[in-house]
Amino acid sequence: GAEQREKQYRAHRGFGDRRGGVISARTYFYADEAKCDQHMETFLRCIDASGGSSEDGFSAIKLTALGRPQFLLQFSEVLVKWRRFFHQMAAEQGQAGRAALEMKLEAEKLQEALANLGIATKAESQHWFTGENLGVSGTVDLLDWNSLIDSRTKLSKLLLVPNMQTGQLEPLLSRFTEEEDLQMKRMLQRMDILAKRATEKGVRLMVDAEQSYFQPAISRLTLEMQRRFNRDRAIIFNTYQCYLKEAYDNVTVDVELSRREGWHFGTKLVRGAYMEQERERAAQIGYEDPINPTYEKTNEMYHRCLDYILEEIKHSRKANVMVASHNEDTVKFTLRRMMELGIHPSEKKVYFGQLLGMCDQITFPLGQAGFPVYKYVPYGPVNEVLPYLSRRAQENRGFVQRANRERDLLWRELKRRLLAGSLFSPSH
């Protein structure tokens, strides 16, 4: 298992072109730092345009456009190994199989284990676990554990973990050169500039999800931004892909962190855009497929994650969710649960999003009923945007049937207006 997880976070030449098998997502490649600056300028213009066109606009950005993807790969491996180490410790304390947030390590036993493994003396680890919340209860959960890795501090001796096969301690992260360290800082600076501009313009920033081997780092860096910018309202939105087997664990852990620290949780829920490529990569390289086995399982995961966030909105009113879906059943599920939980559309805690030109039969009735609903607008050179839109049409299940249905609805409305003598203005 340990060896398998590591394979997922290694760079592989065969998958260097991340467009392969990707139907519905824009892919960025790292050329140099100047190109990353250009991407940032494009994103800034997008934020300005969104701020100038509506009061509560959104802009979407991708972190692979803002720096070298290799860093995201390496940082993702660190985070995954660190989390796996926590699960190994939990298993040794007889807690294997529990949900991520239910695992609580006894601090004293954990300190003994760290000392026995040669990672830290008892005095050193006691110092780690004496923060504001750490160790007070005598237990350490996954959030306490994760807080020991802070992206703002130098990774230290703490980031040595035992290789269970060799019994040797191994560093989680190879040392960056000075130039690499500078490139990593520049990526964080670009994110900071975008978040500040979004705050100034009253625009929410949605950080898109990407391939699973980048995602732990993307989510972690987005969380750092949420901690800083989501104090009074949700400005930064993270994206969760519900075709991933671990989606529910990721959502629940991050919601719990927002509760403890008191900031506003913002998320966009999607099904996912990289399925064929993810599966092919897992099969070829030899690690567990990260994707749910069936479309039905993905639907279940989407509704489970969504329901958890809606419950959180009911209890604290500090969570916000964008239901980014063309699936009518998902939209109906959301409306029903909002009614049951007493979440009114005017609170603007639940948003809906569809692509421009798709599923207007969902978008317009939602808008007319007073729900915050958005059209996702792709922009750019025609030769890039048209292939993207055609792929989106391809990937949407039953798109042709929905297009026929949409045409029938338009035809019915046209006939109704002709008969009513109100061709150019809808009567109510």
Side-chain angles (χ1 to χ4, degrees):
E3 183 60 20
Q4 279 192 336
R5 285 307 288 266
E6 287 165 32
K7 286 178 184 175
Q8 187 172 358
Y9 300 96
R10 289 185 198 151
H12 288 270
R13 192 172 291 279
F15 292 88
D17 184 345
R18 300 195 311 280
R19 291 170 298 190
V22 176
I23 290 173
S24 57
R26 171 81 162 88
T27 306
Y28 291 89
F29 294 94
Y30 180 81
D32 51 36
E33 292 298 297
K35 191 69 179 167
C36 293
D37 285 334
Q38 282 177 28
H39 291 150
M40 182 186 74
E41 289 300 326
T42 302
F43 289 152
L44 286 169
R45 288 199 298 275
C46 181
I47 291 167
D48 291 345
S50 186
S53 62
S54 65
E55 277 182 28
D56 295 305
F58 281 93
S59 282
I61 65 167
K62 277 198 159 148
L63 290 201
T64 52
L66 299 175
R68 206 167 174 187
Q70 177 192 345
F71 298 131
L72 298 173
L73 204 62
Q74 287 177 295
F75 191 32
S76 288
E77 186 177 9
V78 168
L79 295 168
V80 165
K81 281 182 173 176
W82 191 241
R83 189 164 175 163
R84 189 173 66 237
F85 188 32
F86 175 85
H87 283 286
Q88 286 172 343
M89 296 290 200
E92 284 180 18
Q93 291 193 18
Q95 298 186 45
R98 287 191 187 179
L101 277 176
E102 288 173 15
M103 292 181 176
K104 296 189 191 300
L105 306 183
E106 289 180 38
E108 215 163 294
K109 282 186 185 174
L110 176 59
Q111 286 161 4
E112 280 171 24
L114 292 172
N116 292 339
L117 290 164
I119 292 176
T121 65
K122 206 157 183 192
E124 283 175 321
S125 59
Q126 272 174 340
H127 174 67
W128 297 336
F129 297 114
T130 52
E132 196 178 318
N133 299 313
L134 297 177
V136 175
S137 61
T139 61
V140 175
D141 67 10
L142 185 59
L143 288 177
D144 299 329
W145 184 249
N146 284 345
S147 71
L148 295 175
I149 295 185
D150 192 315
S151 66
R152 288 161 295 191
T153 59
K154 286 278 181 192
L155 299 174
S156 65
K157 181 183 168 187
L158 181 63
L159 296 183
L160 291 169
V161 295
N163 181 322
M164 296 301 186
Q165 287 159 331
T166 64
Q168 298 296 307
L169 291 176
E170 294 176 354
L172 277 179
L173 188 64
S174 56
R175 284 178 62 82
F176 281 166
T177 64
E178 272 188 46
E179 175 56 26
E180 286 174 331
D181 203 40
L182 205 58
Q183 287 172 350
M184 182 67 167
K185 281 176 184 158
R186 284 191 197 127
M187 180 194 263
L188 298 173
Q189 282 165 356
R190 290 181 191 112
M191 290 169 64
D192 195 57
I193 288 166
L194 292 170
K196 283 176 178 163
R197 178 72 67 88
T199 305
E200 285 166 22
K201 299 286 181 179
V203 171
R204 274 75 56 87
L205 210 55
M206 292 190 297
V207 181
D208 272 351
E210 304 194 46
Q211 285 92 343
S212 63
Y213 39 95
F214 296 132
Q215 198 52 45
I218 290 170
S219 283
R220 181 59 188 255
L221 294 174
T222 305
L223 273 178
E224 293 296 334
M225 289 166 71
Q226 288 181 312
R227 284 171 143 162
R228 290 178 54 209
F229 292 97
N230 286 10
R231 285 285 156 199
D232 301 319
R233 61 190 289 251
I235 295 283
I236 310 297
F237 278 58
N238 203 353
T239 303
Y240 297 88
Q241 300 170 103
C242 296
Y243 68 2
L244 293 176
K245 292 172 183 172
E246 57 185 29
Y248 184 75
D249 273 354
N250 293 339
V251 168
T252 54
V253 167
D254 292 351
V255 167
E256 176 59 25
L257 182 67
S258 72
R259 274 186 209 137
R260 287 189 194 180
E261 296 184 344
W263 43 268
H264 290 251
F265 180 80
T267 180
K268 177 175 75 166
L269 283 186
V270 299
R271 278 172 171 77
Y274 305 93
M275 185 170 72
E276 285 82 5
Q277 190 194 71
E278 291 276 16
R279 287 198 162 142
E280 188 188 343
R281 191 177 188 272
Q284 278 195 31
I285 295 166
Y287 57 87
E288 186 191 337
D289 180 0
I291 308 290
N292 283 317
T294 64
Y295 184 73
E296 289 66 37
K297 285 282 178 198
T298 294
N299 280 344
E300 280 174 32
M301 181 66 84
Y302 194 107
H303 290 180
R304 191 181 177 204
C305 293
L306 177 55
D307 202 48
Y308 187 86
I309 297 162
L310 292 173
E311 290 276 0
E312 180 64 14
I313 292 170
K314 180 195 172 184
H315 292 302
S316 79
R317 291 309 198 258
K318 271 191 160 185
N320 305 260
V321 61
M322 164 71 80
V323 181
S325 177
H326 294 153
N327 186 304
E328 288 186 28
D329 291 337
T330 293
V331 172
K332 286 173 184 169
F333 171 84
T334 311
L335 298 179
R336 191 183 76 246
R337 290 298 288 138
M338 284 177 73
M339 194 179 293
E340 289 167 359
L341 296 168
I343 303 167
H344 197 269
S346 63
E347 294 180 65
K348 295 188 176 177
K349 294 292 181 186
V350 182
Y351 317 92
F352 295 87
Q354 288 89 40
L355 263 172
L356 182 68
M358 284 193 192
C359 294
D360 288 349
Q361 79 275 12
I362 293 177
T363 312
F364 292 136
L366 282 172
Q368 286 163 348
F371 290 89
V373 62
Y374 292 80
K375 280 301 197 186
Y376 194 97
V377 185
Y379 61 92
V382 171
N383 63 334
E384 287 184 23
V385 174
L386 279 180
Y388 166 83
L389 287 173
S390 65
R391 291 196 306 268
R392 291 310 304 253
Q394 242 180 331
E395 64 131 2
N396 272 279
R397 280 188 162 208
F399 174 75
V400 176
Q401 292 93 317
R402 281 208 297 276
N404 288 339
R405 186 175 166 204
E406 208 163 335
R407 186 197 60 199
D408 292 341
L409 289 169
L410 287 167
W411 180 239
R412 201 183 309 164
E413 176 64 8
L414 180 64
K415 284 196 291 190
R416 187 191 69 73
R417 291 192 192 184
L418 281 168
L419 290 169
S422 59
L423 183 58
F424 297 108
S425 61
S427 56
H428 296 287

